[in-house]
Amino acid sequence: MIETLVQHGIQYGVYLAEVGLFLYLVLWGHCKRLAGVSLYVAGLLTIDAIARPRVLALYGFTSPQYFYFFYVTDAILALSAFLLVCSFFRRASVERREMWQSLRLVLVSVFIIVVGISCVSLKMNYTNLFGRFTTEFEQNLYFTCLVLNTVLYILIQHVQVADDELELLVCGMGIQFAGPAANFALMYLTPGSHFFMSVMQYVGPLCTLGMLGLCFYAVRIPKAARARAREARRLGNAAVGRA
């Protein structure tokens, strides 16, 4: 009973956080400036809070319809997270065109490699091609996003990007990617363990809740502070150019 209440409390807390962040982005006019974040939150809200509960209520947890829908939407969320990280790379290198051209090539190559590695898994299991491919693709893409997000944070520190909002958004996505990474690790290290299976159902939602909270804090940074950061970045670049 208590476990069910805690689970539902976390679940509905995530739904409220998704709705709250999305409404804040829309009503306070941040959608255009933060298009990638807005689209990601909108997709998360649509799939997590609306579509999945609806399909679950219609067909049931053990139905093939819910199985296919769940894994397809998981792959969509993983792909949208990858695109969001790519947009963060673009923002971090907005004033460094040559660096962005190199990064863009690397990101495209990484995605092609992920798809290729996922396709290799089809040769290993012909009995459940759809589930095998989507699971492998999702796991590989989330792990790739976790690595890329870490690299992006290091890059921001290395090139001294004066963008506090971007830094916090990157940290927020790092928390989000930690959930699937932890779940996949527990799945492989403790197969069939009831205790760790019960823990897994809390890890993902709590990480999502942390990500949403940090993103909400990030977008509330005043415009004046962002302007000062941009000015400091401009002066820093000018000083480097003179040197």
Side-chain angles (χ1 to χ4, degrees):
M1 180 65 180
I2 296 178
E3 182 179 350
T4 302
L5 289 176
V6 172
Q7 184 178 357
H8 287 171
I10 296 175
Q11 182 180 19
Y12 286 107
V14 173
Y15 294 163
L16 289 175
E18 291 170 350
V19 173
L21 179 57
F22 181 71
L23 289 178
Y24 182 83
L25 291 170
V26 172
L27 298 178
W28 269 259
H30 294 290
C31 282
K32 185 176 181 180
R33 185 177 63 83
L34 298 170
V37 176
S38 301
L39 290 174
Y40 179 74
V41 174
L44 196 64
L45 174 62
T46 302
I47 291 173
D48 193 36
I50 300 174
R52 281 181 179 174
R54 179 62 177 169
V55 174
L56 179 62
L58 287 174
Y59 299 104
F61 183 76
T62 58
S63 65
Q65 291 89 345
Y66 182 74
F67 171 82
Y68 289 122
F69 186 80
F70 181 87
Y71 279 104
V72 168
T73 51
D74 247 16
I76 292 173
L77 288 177
L79 181 58
S80 62
F82 176 79
L83 294 175
L84 180 59
V85 173
C86 291
S87 72
F88 288 163
F89 270 102
R90 176 69 181 92
R91 177 169 169 176
S93 57
V94 66
E95 296 183 358
R96 300 170 177 84
R97 183 173 299 179
E98 292 183 357
M99 185 174 72
W100 167 240
Q101 290 176 351
S102 301
L103 287 173
R104 181 172 57 186
L105 180 61
V106 170
L107 293 171
V108 172
S109 302
V110 166
F111 181 76
I112 293 174
I113 292 172
V114 169
V115 174
I117 293 175
S118 303
C119 289
V120 170
S121 66
L122 297 180
K123 296 182 178 181
M124 302 170 57
N125 188 344
Y126 289 102
T127 59
N128 186 12
L129 295 181
F130 179 83
R132 180 74 179 182
F133 175 76
T134 53
T135 302
E136 287 290 334
F137 177 72
E138 175 198 353
Q139 292 179 6
N140 295 335
L141 196 55
Y142 267 125
F143 178 75
T144 301
C145 287
L146 179 61
V147 174
L148 289 175
N149 200 70
T150 305
V151 171
L152 174 58
Y153 185 81
I154 296 173
L155 177 67
I156 291 174
Q157 306 304 315
H158 178 69
V159 301
Q160 298 180 348
V161 178
D163 192 339
D164 292 339
E165 182 183 66
L166 176 60
E167 190 171 341
L168 288 172
L169 291 173
V170 171
C171 290
M173 292 307 296
I175 296 174
Q176 174 72 348
F177 296 141
N183 281 343
F184 292 142
L186 288 173
M187 187 185 305
Y188 283 112
L189 294 175
T190 59
S193 172
H194 177 73
F195 172 75
F196 286 107
M197 289 296 291
S198 62
V199 170
M200 284 170 58
Q201 64 184 346
Y202 299 110
V203 174
L206 286 174
C207 288
T208 301
L209 195 60
M211 178 272 294
L212 294 169
L214 193 55
C215 288
F216 180 74
Y217 176 77
V219 298
R220 292 186 71 250
I221 295 176
K223 292 183 180 179
R226 290 198 298 269
R228 288 194 298 269
R230 286 194 298 269
E231 181 65 16
R233 180 176 58 190
R234 186 186 66 81
L235 293 175
N237 292 337
V240 171
R242 286 195 299 269

